[in-house]
């Protein structure tokens, strides 16, 4: 059984971990302890990496959808023998409702097979491979018909209602028939080897309880703007990417899905980026999730700690870990032989000067929600970030795209330094005696003058990616979004036209730079916002519809799209793509600059 296309996968989450299930019924990715923990299934990255397939022996036509406002996936298989539905979920804690979702998830995969018509022969192929495929576990048939897998740090128990599962060599292979009206449930429970044993959840009531938990959560959030259906779906996906115990939002639940097939631009995105902070906060607010926004503030304050002269890391582990050093899994071939497979992300070592601006901007936007007086940690964070920008804005950095070559004077980084100083000046009344408004305002004005003087290339008729360089970078579309320049400013209008003309591709896609292999979805949504701000609402609406049309059949967006084939590229689902969608929909609803 081969790896599916990236767009073939559906996303399951219990707000602790994630699983990806293909259209063919194979769960090819699951890191049960938490999003960034070692996998027990990794066929997504290597055919031998482990999987759990459950589906009709005779393939047929497939229809998929999520139960409304959930990440419980229902797949209907229409075969020559009849039709059968398989419902997949990562179990919520029993009885969990609304904001309890994910706080104590039991790490159990649930699968319910329901006969719809005829009599369909079903197959099971279960091949667990813990530690990113490094370990072949012992499989033992149990008296109750279940199978115990034990190896290294992981214990797994697979059960099927009324079935006695059999071990064949190093896997479970089993077939059974399901007739119309018949229901068969499976549960696969994980536990650490040296902890409490795996907890059983009966599949049928467990799925029903998980649906109720998700729907109770979404019922407490109301979005009244344009494109409500896709916004609600994207908000649900963002919730699924939230690590409930800390409030951190993972950039994606996967690692090393490539930006270009066969190349080495493939990174581990199972962490939380401060760089994305303001956009994430805005999307959560738009989607009416203020509680999650508040928790994300707290996570950021505690993760950064007391800020000194060293650059604030751009990315943290989900519980605030700072050192997430990168290494390679040489035993995995990579998706479509796109190696290496990376675990960890060395971007945590980079200087990225936009980070403080993202954070301070978010605090400014949510100032009223946070109250007249900030908590001590939040106040210290704003003061520390502002002073760091004051001392370092003139330095080169790696930019928001986290380039791994030489540091440069990236224009967007300078603009976000301006944002940090501008918002800090506005926040000064809440920051106490240490707010140095006159000095901060002077630095803010100096940064702005530098960008306006050195960032515009007269021959290209555009603001460019690096000060003094003629090379275009779609990151400049962020300038009107953060209020640095109005979209109708003649130079900004010329810049937007240049980006569309030279970095645009079919399908409403925008590349980040000229030789970027794919259209970067966030940049396409930034263009939607720019068009609204430039007064071109009808064009913006058409572009929004075109870009959202790149989602797969269950509404998931990856990081990039291949302009030639329309194939999804990069880690998926990608938080930034869904954040961009939500924020663009709101800009179409309310065009005011934040």
């Amino acid at each position: 059984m081969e790896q599916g296309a990236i767009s073939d996968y559906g996303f399951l989450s219990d707000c602790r971990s994630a699983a990806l299930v293909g259209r063919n019924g194979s769960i090819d990715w699951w890191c049960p302890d938490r999003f960034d923990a070692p996998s027990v299934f990794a066929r997504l990255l290597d055919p031998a990496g482990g999987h759990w397939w459950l589906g009709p022996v005779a393939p047929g036509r497939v229809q998929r959808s999520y139960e409304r406002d959930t990440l419980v996936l229902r797949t209907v298989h229409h075969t020559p023998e009849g039709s059968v539905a398989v419902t997949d979920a990562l179990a919520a804690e029993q009885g969990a409702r609304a904001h309890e979702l994910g706080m104590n998830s039991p790490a159990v995969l649930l699968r319910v097979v329901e006969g719809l018509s005829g009599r369909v022969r079903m197959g099971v192929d279960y091949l667990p491979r813990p530690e990113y495929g490094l370990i072949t576990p012992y499989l033992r048939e149990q008296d109750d018909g279940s199978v115990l897998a034990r190896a290294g740090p992981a214990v797994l128990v697979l059960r099927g209602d009324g079935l006695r599962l059999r071990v064949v060599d190093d896997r479970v292979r089993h077939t059974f028939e399901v007739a119309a009206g018949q229901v068969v449930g499976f549960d696969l429970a994980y536990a650490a080897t040296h902890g409490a044993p795996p907890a059983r959840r009966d599949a049928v009531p467990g799925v029903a309880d998980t649906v109720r938990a998700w729907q109770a959560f979404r019922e407490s959030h109301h979005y009244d703007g344009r494109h409500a259906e896709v916004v609600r779906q994207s908000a649900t996906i963002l919730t699924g990417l939230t690590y409930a115990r800390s409030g951190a939002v993972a950039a994606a639940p996967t690692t090393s899905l490539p930006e270009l097939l066969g190349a080495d631009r493939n990174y581990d995105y199972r962490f939380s980026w401060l760089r994305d902070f303001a956009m994430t906060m805005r999307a959560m607010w738009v989607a009416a999730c203020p509680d999650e926004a508040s928790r994300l503030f707290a996570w950021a304050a505690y993760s950064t700690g007391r800020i000194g002269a060293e650059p604030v890391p751009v990315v943290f582990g989900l519980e605030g870990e700072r050192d997430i050093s990168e290494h390679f899994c040489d035993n995995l071939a990579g998706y479509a032989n796109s190696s290496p497979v990376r675990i960890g992300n060395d971007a945590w070592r980079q200087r990225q000067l936009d980070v403080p601006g993202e954070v301070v901007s978010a605090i400014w936007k949510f100032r009223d929600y946070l109250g007249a007086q900030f908590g001590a940690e939040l106040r210290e964070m704003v003061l520390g970030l502002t002073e760091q920008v004051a001392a370092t804005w003139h330095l080169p950095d790696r930019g928001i795209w986290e380039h791994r070559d030489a540091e440069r004077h990236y224009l967007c980084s300078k603009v976000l330094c301006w944002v940090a100083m501008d918002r800090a000046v506005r926040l000064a009344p809440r920051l106490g005696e240490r707010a140095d408004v006159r000095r901060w305002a002077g630095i803010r004005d100096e940064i702005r003058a530098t960008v306006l003087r050195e960032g515009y290339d007269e021959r290209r008729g555009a603001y460019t990616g690096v000060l003094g360089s003629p090379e275009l970078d779609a990151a400049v579309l962020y300038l009107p979004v953060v209020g640095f320049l109005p979209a109708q400013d003649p130079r900004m209008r010329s810049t937007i036209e240049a980006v569309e003309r030279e970095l645009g591709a079919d399908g409403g896609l925008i590349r980040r730079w000229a030789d970027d292999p794919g259209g970067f979805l966030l940049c396409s949504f930034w263009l939607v916002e720019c068009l609204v701000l430039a007064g071109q609402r009808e064009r913006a609406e058409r572009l929004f519809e075109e870009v959202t049309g790149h989602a797969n059949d269950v509404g998931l967006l990856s990081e990039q799209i291949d302009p030639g084939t329309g194939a999804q590229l990069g880690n998926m689902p990608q938080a930034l793509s869904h954040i961009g969608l939500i924020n663009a929909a709101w800009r179409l609803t309310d065009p005011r600059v934040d």
Side-chain angles (χ1 to χ4, degrees):
M1 194 174 295
E2 299 179 353
Q3 295 165 316
I6 291 173
S7 60
D8 283 347
Y9 287 96
F11 169 50
L12 311 178
S13 171
D14 57 8
C15 298
R16 161 184 170 172
S17 66
L20 266 62
V21 54
R23 289 176 58 84
N24 62 357
S26 184
I27 295 177
D28 288 350
W29 183 252
W30 187 31
C31 302
D33 195 39
R34 63 185 230 182
F35 292 114
D36 55 352
S39 65
V40 296
F41 302 138
R43 183 160 62 182
L44 185 68
L45 299 175
D46 191 292
H51 63 271
W52 177 20
W53 172 71
L54 172 63
V57 172
R61 183 169 56 90
V62 171
Q63 292 176 297
R64 299 189 300 178
S65 62
Y66 284 112
E67 299 288 350
R68 181 171 174 79
D69 292 334
T70 79
L71 292 179
V72 175
L73 182 65
R74 180 178 171 86
T75 303
V76 178
H77 301 269
H78 300 283
T79 78
E81 301 172 327
S83 296
V84 63
V86 179
T87 301
D88 295 319
L90 275 168
E93 182 185 7
Q94 193 164 7
R97 293 294 178 267
H99 295 284
E100 300 167 341
L101 184 65
M103 298 302 291
N104 294 288
S105 298
V108 180
L109 266 169
L110 304 174
R111 313 192 76 176
V112 174
V113 181
E114 178 188 359
L116 302 178
S117 66
R119 190 171 187 88
V120 180
R121 189 162 173 254
M122 301 290 290
V124 174
D125 184 14
Y126 168 67
L127 184 78
R129 288 291 184 267
E131 287 284 306
Y132 301 111
L134 284 171
I135 301 175
T136 300
Y138 295 102
L139 298 182
R140 296 287 184 264
E141 297 175 8
Q142 305 297 295
D143 291 342
D144 63 356
S146 65
V147 172
L148 173 71
R150 187 187 299 273
V155 177
L156 295 161
V157 178
L158 175 64
R159 304 175 179 91
D161 293 345
L163 301 178
R164 178 163 291 277
L165 301 173
R166 297 298 186 187
V167 177
V168 180
D169 297 325
D170 59 353
R171 66 211 303 157
V172 171
R173 290 188 186 275
H174 191 84
T175 60
F176 63 100
E177 288 189 342
V178 60
Q182 187 178 359
V183 175
V184 179
F186 292 82
D187 63 283
L188 174 62
Y190 159 86
T193 297
H194 303 292
R200 171 145 204 191
R201 289 296 302 277
D202 289 330
V204 174
V207 166
D209 206 34
T210 301
V211 168
R212 285 192 292 269
W214 277 101
Q215 291 179 342
F217 184 90
R218 289 258 58 92
E219 285 170 3
S220 63
H221 304 85
H222 302 285
Y223 169 77
D224 297 322
R226 296 185 63 77
H227 304 285
E229 284 299 314
V230 292
V231 167
R232 286 179 68 88
Q233 174 75 341
S234 289
T236 300
I237 292 163
L238 285 183
T239 301
L241 290 170
T242 301
Y243 183 69
R245 294 176 181 177
S246 67
V249 177
T254 57
T255 179
S256 300
L257 293 181
E259 298 176 12
L260 177 66
L261 296 183
D264 62 355
R265 287 188 58 84
N266 33 343
Y267 303 108
D268 193 347
Y269 277 11
R270 298 173 299 161
F271 308 106
S272 193
W273 266 253
L274 276 183
R275 172 171 49 82
D276 309 337
F277 191 83
M279 287 181 282
T280 307
M281 294 293 299
R282 181 169 170 243
M284 286 183 167
W285 190 263
V286 166
C289 305
D291 292 332
E292 292 92 303
S294 181
R295 294 182 65 226
L296 187 54
F297 269 123
W299 171 84
Y302 289 120
S303 295
T304 56
R306 189 172 292 277
I307 297 168
E310 290 298 312
V312 175
V314 63
V315 58
F316 293 88
L318 299 175
E319 293 184 355
E321 300 91 344
R322 186 163 292 203
D323 186 344
I324 53 172
S325 296
E326 192 172 289
H327 66 277
F328 298 153
C329 269
D330 293 330
N331 62 299
L332 297 175
Y335 179 87
N337 292 311
S338 304
S339 62
V341 170
R342 290 180 167 92
I343 306 300
N345 197 306
D346 276 345
W348 77 275
R349 305 176 189 273
Q350 293 186 354
R351 174 165 53 220
Q352 296 185 25
L353 296 176
D354 67 298
V355 172
E358 295 282 12
V359 177
V360 178
S361 173
I363 293 170
W364 162 251
K365 178 171 178 57
F366 292 92
R367 61 198 179 279
D368 295 333
Y369 178 73
L370 292 167
Q373 295 297 322
F374 296 147
E377 291 88 356
L378 197 59
R379 185 167 57 250
E380 287 298 318
M381 182 169 69
V382 175
L383 289 166
L385 290 172
T386 304
E387 290 299 339
Q388 187 171 105
V389 171
T392 63
W393 73 268
H394 60 284
L395 298 175
D397 74 332
R398 298 298 178 89
I400 69 170
W401 307 132
E402 300 181 351
H403 297 284
R404 295 198 170 195
D405 53 6
E407 293 185 336
R408 295 181 175 88
H409 290 281
Y410 287 100
L411 181 143
C412 197
S413 295
K414 305 301 184 192
V415 168
L416 266 295
C417 288
W418 173 86
V419 168
M421 304 309 297
D422 179 73
R423 302 325 190 246
V425 167
R426 301 187 199 189
L427 284 169
R430 305 191 188 194
L431 299 177
E433 298 177 353
R434 290 160 57 199
D436 194 343
V437 177
R438 180 172 297 180
R439 180 169 62 89
W440 291 353
I443 295 169
R444 174 198 63 191
D445 296 343
E446 184 181 359
I447 297 171
R448 180 179 179 82
T450 301
V451 170
L452 295 177
R453 181 179 65 251
E454 301 179 27
Y456 190 81
D457 186 275
E458 294 286 353
R459 294 179 64 185
R460 297 298 294 270
Y463 288 98
T464 58
V466 177
L467 300 186
S469 166
E471 296 180 5
L472 280 179
D473 184 334
V476 296
L477 295 174
Y478 205 29
L479 272 62
V481 175
V482 298
F484 181 81
L485 277 174
Q488 295 181 343
D489 174 271
R491 284 185 163 191
M492 194 65 235
R493 188 170 61 245
S494 174
T495 298
I496 295 168
E497 292 170 356
V499 168
E500 282 196 90
R501 182 176 62 251
E502 300 187 37
L503 299 183
D506 290 342
L509 300 171
I510 300 293
R511 295 182 175 90
R512 287 171 293 180
W513 51 80
D515 59 353
D516 199 11
F520 203 81
L521 287 165
L522 176 64
C523 296
S524 300
F525 287 121
W526 280 347
L527 178 58
V528 172
E529 294 201 57
C530 286
L531 293 177
V532 174
L533 293 170
Q536 300 181 53
R537 180 180 293 276
E538 289 186 7
R539 279 197 63 212
E541 284 279 3
R542 290 195 300 271
L543 179 62
F544 182 89
E545 295 282 358
E546 196 169 12
V547 177
T548 56
H550 291 290
N552 74 357
D553 58 324
V554 290
L556 302 180
L557 291 167
S558 64
E559 182 181 40
Q560 300 188 54
I561 302 295
D562 184 323
T565 66
Q568 295 201 9
L569 297 170
N571 289 300
M572 74 85 74
Q574 177 72 217
L576 269 184
S577 298
H578 290 280
I579 288 165
L581 182 156
I582 293 171
N583 289 337
W586 184 248
R587 187 72 73 184
L588 287 163
T589 303
D590 183 354
R592 293 174 294 179
V593 176
D594 297 333

